[in-house]
Amino acid sequence: MKKLFIPLFAVLFFTGISYSQKQIPLIGSNAPSFKANSTNGVLTFPNDFGESWKILFSHPQDFTPVCTTELLELAYKQPELEKLGVKVAVISVDNIKQHENWKRHLESIDFKGRGLQSIQFPLFEDPNALNSIKYGMLHRPSSTSKDVRGVYVIDSKNVVRAINFYPVEIGRNMDEIIRIVEALKTADDEEYISTPVNWNRGDDVLVTYRPFSNEQYKLDPKKYDAQFYSLDDMIWFKRTTKSTVLENE
């Protein structure tokens, strides 16, 4: 019995260590680096993507309906993402040959009557799932062999800024993912700024402090009324050009 106990203890001990090392990267942490073959050649993510913002998408399997619509929509959004300074990468446990065949197939489909799309972003192979595990893309209660639909938004300093996971049966909303990047960049552009519920580009933003004193307001109330307004003394908004124009119309 003693001979059996020691190996069993060792297995449980080392399994526990291995599992603890698979914690997903958290918001504010450095994005894990990996080098792998892709439809754009061998690349290191995120390092080879420069100082752009990056979005890493995972998907369960090539040649499946939901994944096909997602990548075609993502391909259509490429110009919008490039304008935002965002580069995209896609990963799944399929091998490079499968990715290349699927890419050719995708580029032959006219989705939503928009014409054929050229897929410029790389599709990384990950047949051993090692890189998917680094990013927590395999959710074992759901599947031990296929990625869930993961999204990592990574900034120009390769820091994780947002994380989303979706079940395999539900396609992602690419407009929402773009909105996340726009909101993060808006908050980064100015100190003490955040975005309220259902915020979209051009909407008014929240100021995390009262933006003027009573004395300052008395000196020039029109100046501050043109820039700020409040719902109560704790919720202050800063007007955008868009809201100012609408008020003046």
Side-chain angles (χ1 to χ4, degrees):
M1 186 68 180
K2 288 182 179 178
K3 289 181 180 179
L4 290 173
F5 177 77
I6 294 172
L8 179 60
F9 174 80
V11 168
L12 291 172
F13 178 76
F14 287 112
T15 301
I17 290 176
S18 176
Y19 183 80
S20 68
Q21 290 174 339
K22 294 173 187 175
Q23 181 181 6
I24 69 169
L26 301 178
I27 291 173
S29 65
N30 292 326
S33 177
F34 65 84
K35 185 176 183 178
N37 199 10
S38 78
T39 51
N40 290 11
V42 176
L43 295 170
T44 299
F45 184 89
N47 310 66
D48 285 346
F49 291 70
E51 294 184 357
S52 300
W53 282 58
K54 302 99 183 161
I55 304 179
L56 180 65
F57 291 86
S58 68
H59 68 274
Q61 191 174 3
D62 296 355
F63 288 102
T64 55
V66 177
C67 299
T68 294
T69 61
E70 286 186 322
L71 259 70
L72 287 170
E73 186 67 19
L74 192 55
Y76 178 73
K77 295 288 186 182
Q78 284 173 136
E80 189 174 351
L81 288 161
E82 288 170 7
K83 190 175 179 181
L84 268 175
V86 177
K87 292 185 178 179
V88 170
V90 175
I91 188 169
S92 77
V93 297
D94 299 282
N95 62 41
I96 190 64
K97 189 67 177 175
Q98 189 86 342
H99 278 339
E100 288 171 346
N101 289 337
W102 189 39
K103 179 182 174 182
R104 282 193 292 271
H105 178 66
L106 290 169
E107 291 179 333
S108 72
I109 298 172
D110 182 357
F111 183 53
K112 295 184 177 180
R114 295 166 171 167
L116 304 182
Q117 304 296 320
S118 172
I119 295 174
Q120 299 165 15
F121 48 80
L123 279 63
F124 281 104
E125 71 167 355
D126 191 25
N128 297 319
L130 296 178
N131 298 319
S132 295
I133 289 170
K134 278 187 181 182
Y135 276 87
M137 303 294 198
L138 264 69
H139 292 199
R140 295 192 180 279
S142 174
S143 174
T144 58
S145 60
K146 295 178 183 178
D147 291 355
V148 294
R149 301 186 193 282
V151 181
Y152 275 83
V153 177
I154 298 163
D155 68 18
S156 59
K157 296 178 181 177
N158 293 337
V159 173
V160 175
R161 300 296 301 276
I163 306 166
N164 287 292
F165 289 110
Y166 301 76
V168 297
E169 63 270 22
I170 295 176
R172 287 161 281 199
N173 187 321
M174 299 304 168
D175 290 330
E176 168 60 10
I177 293 166
I178 290 171
R179 190 194 74 89
I180 290 170
V181 176
E182 291 173 335
L184 286 167
K185 287 195 162 201
T186 297
D188 284 357
D189 283 345
E190 190 174 344
E191 200 172 8
Y192 307 118
I193 290 296
S194 54
T195 59
V197 63
N198 295 337
W199 179 90
N200 284 293
R201 181 177 55 195
D203 290 349
D204 294 344
V205 294
L206 288 165
V207 183
T208 55
Y209 64 97
R210 193 171 189 268
F212 49 80
S213 67
N214 289 335
E215 290 74 19
Q216 288 173 318
Y217 184 78
K218 287 176 184 176
L219 290 172
D220 195 349
K222 288 184 178 180
K223 170 187 172 183
Y224 292 107
D225 285 343
Q227 295 181 62
F228 305 100
Y229 63 94
S230 68
L231 302 184
D232 61 28
D233 204 46
M234 293 179 62
I235 304 175
W236 285 88
F237 282 85
K238 182 176 181 180
R239 300 181 192 276
T240 64
T241 304
K242 172 183 169 183
S243 67
T244 304
V245 168
L246 288 174
E247 275 197 359
N248 292 333
E249 286 181 350

